[in-house]
Amino acid sequence: MMSDRTIDRIDYFLVLSVIIVVLCSVFTLYSQEVNFEDSPGKWYKQLVYFGIGLAAMFFVSRINYQLLGAYALFIYLFMVLLLILTLIPGIGYLPSGRGARSWLKIGPVGFQVSEFAKLATVILLGQYLVLREKEMKKITVLILPFVIVLVPMAFILLQPDFGTALSFLPILFTMLFLGGADYLHISSFLTLGGISLVLPMYVEYSRLTLLNDIQEFLQRTGKTDLLSIVNRLGGKVWRVLEGDEIKNASLSPKTFAALKEAVDQVVEIEASFIFKLLSNQALLVGFGSTLIVLSIIMIFLRIARGARSLRTYYIPLGIFGISILSAVVVMKTVPFRENQVIRLTAFLNPDGFKQGAGYQLRASKPAVGSGKLFGKGFLNAEMTEGRIPHVPESSTDFIFASWAEQSGFIGSTFLLFFLFSIPLRGLQISYESKDRFGSLLASGIVALLFYHIAINIGIVIGLLPVTGIPLSFMSYGGSHLVMSMISVGIILSIKMRKHAN
């Protein structure tokens, strides 16, 4: 049992910040549903989730966080097992009947396993980084942290939930940086992952934007038979032209040749130079292979002459070459779905996509801006209320738009102050921790909360791609709210024991 003196060290400002933000969430949900005949609805459930989360937060704060380190592997494996169960038909489900099968149900209670898997991954990463603290400069030591993160990511991708899976990566790199990994190694992995994803995504995005040009060209030239094929295939037309889905398209050789000729003409006239360059996979393979060969030559020179300075050249060259080859592999093997590409790229040109993420962004930004300085007032939301609001997902991923519409710039600043106070207080507690595990654990939780807040706000105001990441402590939903409050409970535990023996 902790003494009264230890209990007095609870971080009241951190707790107050959490309470204020969650109450803002409840008020926002209430304003969206106040005119519903079957009210109370989401706001009432959110209040119940808040009560459960508050109890869990204070319970966890009383537990010595070092016990979490001792049982880190067990907690992690248990969460991986639950993620596997979500993939089994009849066990895993989604309440709304659409999207990712990421939920489990125990009696009347359902919860999203992937949210708690994030926290379990942070705990195990913290423990591993402490155990290998003196070896973090070795690149081989970084293999296991990637395995720890990629295992839950893989099962979450199978659900499929791309946005949640992607949220693991910034947490991993932040913890590796704070854990003492070599900057060159971290930047190399970031480059590898970034290029492997960004280049194929850019090519797919450019192809989608060229569809309108292709349709206009076919209509202008009177090739209505080809136009109907393009309208039917949509974004799949590129896969057909590459030979991946030609059987499913049921095209005769003559029709296929005519379609390819028409598309090539549009690409030649309308496509950008960068798109033409990145679409030339043979050129990319040659360039990437050349960089790798140069890197290998430099490695042999270093071994032969002992020129240690060459390390700063051959590692970036090698990683860049491998990244380009990896991007080509992704282009040829990963069948990006049209909705995935739109979600990740629509923020670049929302007006170019009439549905999905493009529509969400075109709706959310005006909603935020319509609040102006003081907002429209509580219960006066127009774009974010009702059963089918103008802003989709206004109670979950886009709840900040609803708050901003009602409270304006002043209210948004108020909310953001307390929202970002939570990870900032956690960062301070991480710095003051009495041991390395407490410091890394708090840092990992800070990264978990900070990236959810920063990315979600960036999405709502159109600065980042739509990835389905909730706004911590604000978005409607019990799983993420309870997980976030348990995370704060762990931070409180670290704070309350910084002077303990």
Side-chain angles (χ1 to χ4, degrees):
M1 290 294 292
M2 291 183 296
S3 66
D4 293 336
R5 183 185 173 193
T6 304
I7 295 174
D8 287 340
R9 296 194 189 105
I10 190 170
D11 194 315
Y12 291 105
F13 180 73
L14 176 57
V15 175
L16 178 66
S17 297
V18 171
I19 292 173
I20 288 174
V21 174
V22 178
L23 290 179
C24 288
S25 168
V26 173
F27 289 145
T28 305
L29 294 171
Y30 176 80
S31 71
Q32 295 173 355
E33 300 180 318
V34 66
N35 295 321
F36 289 2
E37 293 180 1
D38 56 352
S39 187
K42 291 181 178 178
W43 72 268
Y44 182 76
K45 292 179 182 178
Q46 189 79 338
L47 202 57
V48 173
Y49 298 147
F50 175 48
I52 296 172
L54 202 61
M57 182 177 75
F58 282 107
F59 174 77
V60 171
S61 71
R62 300 274 182 152
I63 298 175
N64 191 330
Y65 65 90
Q66 292 173 338
L67 287 176
L68 296 175
Y71 292 97
L73 183 59
F74 173 79
I75 296 169
Y76 173 83
L77 292 176
F78 179 67
M79 285 301 159
V80 170
L81 175 62
L82 294 184
L83 285 174
I84 295 173
L85 291 178
T86 63
L87 302 175
I88 301 176
I91 299 178
Y93 79 106
L94 184 73
S96 62
R98 59 181 177 82
R101 186 192 299 163
S102 55
W103 291 66
L104 287 179
K105 195 169 186 179
I106 302 176
V109 180
F111 64 98
Q112 191 172 358
V113 180
S114 55
E115 294 295 340
F116 297 95
K118 297 174 189 176
L119 184 56
T121 302
V122 167
I123 295 171
L124 184 58
L125 279 175
Q127 182 68 4
Y128 175 81
L129 294 177
V130 169
L131 294 175
R132 307 302 295 268
E133 182 178 5
K134 296 181 179 179
E135 304 171 86
M136 288 304 297
K137 297 299 181 183
K138 299 178 181 177
I139 193 169
T140 53
V141 175
L142 304 185
I143 295 174
L144 191 54
F146 274 88
V147 173
I148 291 171
V149 168
L150 290 176
V151 168
M153 278 184 66
F155 289 118
I156 293 170
L157 284 171
L158 291 173
Q159 292 176 352
D161 189 347
F162 186 79
T164 299
L166 206 62
S167 67
F168 281 74
L169 293 179
I171 299 169
L172 167 65
F173 286 111
T174 300
M175 293 192 71
L176 288 179
F177 172 77
L178 296 173
D182 190 294
Y183 301 154
L184 202 56
H185 293 159
I186 295 176
S187 60
S188 297
F189 284 118
L190 282 171
T191 301
L192 176 61
I195 293 177
S196 299
L197 179 63
V198 171
L199 291 192
M201 196 60 65
Y202 174 80
V203 171
E204 294 295 330
Y205 165 77
S206 299
R207 286 175 169 179
L208 285 178
T209 56
L210 282 171
L211 276 179
N212 290 333
D213 296 318
I214 294 171
Q215 291 166 337
E216 290 175 3
F217 173 79
L218 293 175
Q219 190 169 17
R220 189 170 61 250
T221 55
K223 299 177 180 179
T224 54
D225 54 335
L226 296 181
L227 178 61
S228 64
I229 293 173
V230 172
N231 289 336
R232 173 170 58 88
L233 293 175
K236 292 182 179 179
V237 68
W238 300 99
R239 295 288 176 188
V240 171
L241 293 175
E242 291 174 349
D244 295 339
E245 297 189 22
I246 189 169
K247 292 182 179 179
N248 298 331
S250 302
L251 301 180
S252 66
K254 183 179 179 180
T255 303
F256 176 82
L259 179 61
K260 190 173 190 314
E261 181 183 0
V263 170
D264 288 342
Q265 284 180 300
V266 174
V267 170
E268 183 64 30
I269 298 170
E270 301 291 344
S272 67
F273 172 75
I274 297 177
F275 171 73
K276 295 175 184 177
L277 187 68
L278 297 181
S279 298
N280 190 334
Q281 295 182 4
L283 179 63
L284 291 179
V285 170
F287 182 56
S289 301
T290 301
L291 293 178
I292 293 174
V293 170
L294 288 174
S295 176
I296 293 172
I297 292 173
M298 288 185 180
I299 292 173
F300 282 124
L301 286 175
R302 179 189 173 181
I303 295 173
R305 299 184 178 181
R308 300 181 65 87
S309 60
L310 287 176
R311 181 176 183 269
T312 58
Y313 298 101
Y314 67 71
I315 290 182
L317 282 177
I319 289 296
F320 195 52
I322 293 171
S323 300
I324 293 174
L325 295 183
S326 175
V328 174
V329 172
V330 171
M331 288 181 197
K332 294 188 71 67
T333 60
V334 178
F336 288 106
R337 295 201 301 268
E338 189 171 336
N339 66 313
Q340 290 176 331
V341 178
I342 293 174
R343 283 185 64 141
L344 291 175
T345 60
F347 78 106
L348 298 172
N349 180 24
D351 295 330
F353 303 96
K354 299 185 182 299
Q355 302 296 327
Y359 175 78
Q360 287 177 313
L361 293 173
R362 291 200 311 276
S364 67
K365 291 196 288 185
V368 173
S370 67
K372 297 182 180 179
L373 184 61
F374 296 105
K376 297 177 180 177
F378 187 53
L379 304 180
N380 290 325
E382 298 173 355
M383 303 179 70
T384 55
E385 67 176 6
R387 295 191 186 277
I388 307 178
H390 181 67
V391 179
E393 310 295 340
S394 61
S395 62
T396 51
D397 298 346
F398 286 81
I399 194 170
F400 180 76
S402 183
W403 173 266
E405 182 185 13
Q406 296 180 71
S407 64
F409 177 78
I410 300 298
S412 299
T413 302
F414 170 84
L415 175 63
L416 291 176
F417 172 79
F418 286 105
L419 261 175
F420 283 105
S421 292
I422 298 170
L424 286 175
R425 284 299 304 148
L427 194 62
Q428 179 66 26
I429 291 169
S430 168
Y431 177 76
E432 296 173 348
S433 175
K434 69 170 187 173
D435 63 7
R436 186 65 172 159
F437 175 66
S439 177
L440 285 170
L441 180 57
S443 298
I445 292 173
V446 165
L448 170 63
L449 298 178
F450 174 79
Y451 287 121
H452 272 79
I453 295 170
I455 292 173
N456 182 276
I457 299 297
I459 291 169
V460 172
I461 62 179
L463 297 178
L464 294 172
V466 178
T467 54
I469 291 179
L471 180 56
S472 298
F473 308 102
M474 274 291 289
S475 292
Y476 170 71
S479 297
H480 185 73
L481 178 59
V482 172
M483 183 278 295
S484 299
M485 296 189 73
I486 289 175
S487 300
V488 172
I490 295 173
I491 292 177
L492 290 173
S493 175
I494 296 169
K495 158 80 173 181
M496 295 162 70
R497 287 166 179 81
K498 71 175 185 177
H499 295 298
N501 294 326

